[in-house]
Amino acid sequence: GENVEQHPSTLSVQEGDSAVIKCTYSDSASNYFPWYKQELGKGPQLIIDIRSNVGEKKDQRIAVTLNKTAKHFSLHITETQPEDSAVYFCAASRLTGGGNKLTFGTGTQLKVEL
Amino acid sequence: DAGITQSPRYKITETGRQVTLMCHQTWSHSYMFWYRQDLGHGLRLIYYSAAADITDKGEVPDGYVVSRSKTENFPLTLESATRSQTSVYFCASRSGAGNQPQHFGDGTRLSIL
């Protein structure tokens, strides 16, 4: 089955700096890669996702890059703000068959310091 | 816009007891999922359902039972709770159409003494 590794497990940045979280996956057939943000006491919320036919996707201060050859993808947050502090999860799945079952990484606790 | 709701939000029970966690979604999504979240493991899939009366095992199904008699509900039952099942449980749903993301509830924190 799929295995997703996520690094780092904790990340502390100064407000205004950039943050990068990296994930690798094992199943070359995976073709859908979402990123979720989880705030304390809440469920994960989708913030951005990317399909394998795209190398990069941006949404305001958030971007995701995908390298299919190396089987890794990354989340980039620019101009970080205190409200970006949360746990971030990457995930991978195949879109066809199996109901889009997601395999999650173990999460990154991001802290944005003033 | 209720979306997806889980109940109870917190539950304490004893080993050997049966406990049922409820999940209800108002979007008429065909797919529903149950995950457990533990430190160091991220979210792991317990069971999922593609439609009413269709369920299948995920990565960690042992000790759990699910049913899906109605599209909007997907209860998760621990038939004889064990301490190792202490966790935070999340329900999610997605549309049956391709390329749609999963949407999560706010979880149930379950403690088994």
Side-chain angles (χ1 to χ4, degrees):
Chain A
E2 175 67 277
N3 182 53
V4 176
E5 295 190 356
Q6 182 173 348
H7 299 281
S9 56
T10 60
L11 179 60
S12 184
V13 299
Q14 293 294 314
E15 183 180 8
D17 287 349
S18 295
V20 179
I21 302 170
K22 298 181 179 181
C23 290
T24 60
Y25 61 98
S26 61
D27 185 355
S28 56
S30 289
N31 53 14
Y32 174 65
F33 308 92
W35 285 89
Y36 285 84
K37 176 183 180 182
Q38 186 178 24
E39 297 176 336
L40 199 61
K42 299 287 188 181
Q45 297 283 314
L46 179 76
I47 55 172
I48 196 167
D49 57 13
I50 191 168
R51 274 74 174 174
S52 60
N53 58 346
V54 174
E56 183 176 4
K57 183 176 179 181
K58 286 184 180 179
D59 183 2
Q60 299 183 342
R61 296 186 297 109
I62 294 173
V64 57
T65 58
L66 171 65
N67 183 327
K68 286 173 54 182
T69 303
K71 289 191 281 188
H72 67 69
F73 56 113
S74 300
L75 177 71
H76 303 254
I77 306 174
T78 59
E79 300 173 16
T80 53
Q81 301 168 4
E83 52 265 38
D84 294 329
S85 295
V87 179
Y88 291 81
F89 290 96
C90 62
S93 79
R94 302 180 186 189
L95 278 171
T96 54
N100 180 215
K101 289 185 290 183
L102 292 172
T103 300
F104 283 85
T106 50
T108 296
Q109 175 77 61
L110 173 65
K111 183 177 181 182
V112 179
E113 298 177 334
L114 296 171
Chain B
D1 185 297
I4 185 165
T5 54
Q6 294 184 235
S7 60
R9 290 296 315 276
Y10 304 92
K11 177 74 178 179
I12 300 173
T13 191
E14 296 176 340
T15 55
R17 297 272 181 125
Q18 181 180 84
V19 59
T20 296
L21 309 184
M22 305 302 293
C23 180
H24 175 80
Q25 51 104 356
T26 59
W27 294 306
S28 298
H29 284 169
S30 56
Y31 283 94
M32 295 187 75
F33 306 82
W34 274 107
Y35 295 88
R36 59 177 291 172
Q37 184 175 38
D38 305 287
L39 270 175
H41 290 278
L43 292 112
R44 292 181 290 174
L45 182 65
I46 304 170
Y47 270 95
Y48 70 102
S49 169
D53 297 321
I54 300 175
T55 63
D56 206 350
K57 296 177 181 179
E59 181 185 353
V60 288
D62 293 346
Y64 304 94
V65 175
V66 293
S67 61
R68 186 117 180 257
S69 58
K70 292 184 177 181
T71 299
E72 61 266 31
N73 297 323
F74 190 38
L76 175 74
T77 298
L78 289 66
E79 293 193 305
S80 178
T82 65
R83 290 194 180 131
S84 65
Q85 293 176 309
T86 292
S87 186
V88 182
Y89 291 85
F90 288 98
C91 179
S93 71
R94 68 172 279 260
S95 166
N99 299 346
Q100 297 302 313
Q102 293 185 24
H103 301 274
F104 285 79
D106 283 336
T108 294
R109 182 174 293 277
L110 177 63
S111 296
I112 301 165
L113 306 177

